[in-house]
Amino acid sequence: MPTTDVSPAALAAAVLDRADRLAACSEEPGRLTRRFAPPALAAAGDLVLGWMGDAGMTARRDAIGNVVGRWEPPGGAAASTLLLGSHLDTVRDAGRYDGMLGVLVALACVERLRDAPFAVEVFGFADEEGVRYGTAYLGSSVVAGTFDRDALGRRDADGVAMADAIAAFGGDPAALDGARRDREDLLGYVEVHIEQGPVLEAEDLPVGVVTGIAGQNRAEVTFAGVPGHAGTVPMALRRDALVAAAELVTAVEARATDGLVATVGELRVEPGASNVIPARARLSVDVRHLDDAAREAAVADLRERARAIASSRGLDVAWTAVQATGAVACSPALMTELEAAVADAGARVVRLPSGAGHDAAVMSNLGDIAMLFVRCAGGISHNPAEAVTAQDVAVAIDVTSRVLDRLGR
Ligand code: HGY
Ligand code: MN
Ligand code: MN
């Protein structure tokens, strides 16, 4: 839906309408779940490719299925490029703005761009959340050249290997290295994203400038005990895998102190019958902190605690480190541009860290990064109640456009 009125307010309305259209692309009826590589993600990517084409961009998919649009200035091939974007995949039962807002605001800024001394590329990354394979940032890690090829063998809950999912999605597992973006012409990467927290609402501000992105560890822990009859095995003789997992879950919560957050979001029990003592319990552990040493110390403590719990209960335990991403600082030079643009747009400047992970953390391997947070209602995210206002989206479009203007001078 190309818009002739390119005012931030008009484009903000288009962004919200497009977010609604993308939200209809779901794997599950009645709620928004769009993991890596199902037809729902293909449909969402096709919509974005169409809008990119309408905006005068050359649009394509890369080897892992990211959608990439490139806008060239009227004068032809530019010597440098600014990267914008965010992700198009979602968590389960997700909100419609986490990721998608950044792609759509970037697209809106291109729609109002008339001239610039550089090109602009907009990325809609195919997998940032890592819901299907447990590893976050599949899309941006391919672009940044940090993709871990060992992950190609990981299997999803249905036993589908990642390499097969990529091929079925139309990508090419053998061409992932070639999809790495050169860094020579890059001005940097700027990502617009909902805050997913309460600070901007508390400050009564539409946008904020991000200082850094917390590091995160993802692990899978499996306790293995002995299945048995729920009615006949005496409590003292049990080797119950789920009770051990429950002990670790409360230990994870107890370890989250001094700015550290830790979460168990997944728990699978086998064989999974009410009258069978659990033989195996597999849980995810997610640990975050802005300070890498604090995060790594907490992971080491929890790993030791899992071993002690298993030992005290006569069980086996396996702790598999799935992924570790260090904390990343945003580029001071790009932050200065964002802060000036926020001030020029008439908003008070506030700086805030990101507890959530973002593709920008991975894109920092290519060069300078910066992020603009947009207020979201109640700070709610990873939840269908996720919401933004058209007014705040208009400010985000205005500020991001001003950043492009400032970088062009
Ligand atoms: O988990 C995160 O921080 C992000 O939503 N991927
Ligand atoms: Mn998310
Ligand atoms: Mn996100």
Side-chain angles (χ1 to χ4, degrees):
M1 177 189 69
T3 54
T4 50
D5 175 353
V6 292
S7 68
L11 286 170
V15 162
L16 295 184
D17 173 66
R18 288 170 171 174
D20 292 344
R21 293 182 61 190
L22 289 173
C25 303
S26 177
E27 293 180 70
E28 297 174 351
R31 68 182 203 171
L32 174 54
T33 299
R34 193 166 64 233
R35 298 171 305 152
F36 175 60
L41 187 71
D46 290 346
L47 282 174
V48 174
L49 288 171
W51 295 329
M52 286 175 166
D54 293 345
M57 303 172 91
T58 53
R60 64 184 173 85
R61 275 196 172 88
D62 70 7
I64 195 160
N66 299 317
V67 294
V68 192
R70 181 175 172 87
W71 174 88
E72 290 286 355
S80 54
T81 306
L82 178 69
L83 306 186
L84 303 174
S86 192
H87 59 94
L88 291 175
D89 67 309
T90 75
V91 294
R92 293 186 188 285
D93 197 11
R96 63 189 59 198
Y97 301 109
D98 172 4
M100 283 65 79
L101 182 71
V103 179
L104 295 172
V105 166
L107 187 50
C109 290
V110 170
E111 286 179 304
R112 60 193 318 251
L113 197 53
R114 290 294 168 263
D115 197 3
F118 50 79
V120 177
E121 283 178 14
V122 176
F123 286 86
F125 295 115
D127 178 275
E128 184 270 351
E129 302 288 1
V131 172
R132 183 169 180 182
Y133 287 102
T135 53
Y137 310 129
L138 292 183
S140 47
S141 67
V142 165
V143 175
T146 61
F147 179 80
D148 173 8
R149 291 193 63 82
D150 291 346
L152 288 170
R154 289 183 67 83
R155 293 184 179 276
D156 67 7
D158 300 320
V160 178
M162 185 191 295
D164 298 336
I166 293 170
F169 192 53
D172 179 359
L176 297 179
D177 294 346
R180 180 191 189 291
R181 195 173 191 304
D182 290 337
R183 55 190 306 157
E184 287 66 37
D185 67 325
L186 294 188
L187 293 174
Y189 170 78
V190 178
E191 181 168 355
V192 176
H193 200 288
I194 53 171
E195 179 200 341
Q196 301 177 300
V199 173
L200 292 177
E201 200 166 57
E203 294 274 355
D204 192 23
L205 284 173
V207 295
V209 176
V210 177
T211 55
I213 301 166
Q216 64 175 274
N217 282 70
R218 295 187 175 198
E220 287 167 355
V221 185
T222 302
F223 287 99
V226 177
H229 195 299
T232 58
V233 179
M235 294 307 286
L237 298 182
R238 295 184 178 202
R239 304 227 322 253
D240 185 328
L242 181 53
V243 179
E247 204 176 329
L248 184 60
V249 170
T250 52
V252 165
E253 183 191 44
R255 185 58 181 77
T257 57
D258 305 321
L260 186 119
V261 289
T263 313
V264 174
E266 289 180 82
L267 176 64
R268 292 200 181 99
V269 182
E270 295 171 8
S274 66
N275 59 350
V276 178
I277 299 167
R280 289 162 56 86
R282 178 175 166 276
L283 60 155
S284 63
V285 176
D286 177 313
V287 178
R288 320 264 181 120
H289 201 289
L290 280 165
D291 174 79
D292 286 349
R295 171 173 52 84
E296 285 156 5
V299 171
D301 289 350
L302 289 171
R303 188 165 190 161
E304 172 50 33
R305 187 64 193 279
R307 193 203 55 73
I309 290 168
S311 166
S312 71
R313 293 175 175 275
L315 292 97
D316 292 323
V317 67
W319 178 294
T320 306
V322 175
Q323 192 168 35
T325 311
V328 169
C330 292
S331 144
L334 279 180
M335 283 178 63
T336 301
E337 297 300 338
L338 260 70
E339 289 169 9
V342 171
D344 291 349
R348 176 165 56 90
V349 176
V350 72
R351 293 177 162 199
L352 68 168
S354 174
H358 298 288
D359 289 304
V362 172
M363 296 298 279
S364 67
N365 289 284
L366 284 179
D368 288 348
I369 61 157
M371 289 193 73
L372 183 74
F373 270 172
V374 181
R375 171 169 49 188
C376 58
I380 294 168
S381 183
H382 286 190
N383 179 319
E386 213 172 74
V388 292
T389 66
Q391 292 77 3
D392 288 354
V393 173
V395 172
I397 293 168
D398 181 17
V399 168
T400 308
S401 295
R402 291 173 187 270
V403 170
L404 270 62
D405 290 345
R406 295 182 60 85
L407 291 175
R409 282 182 222 147

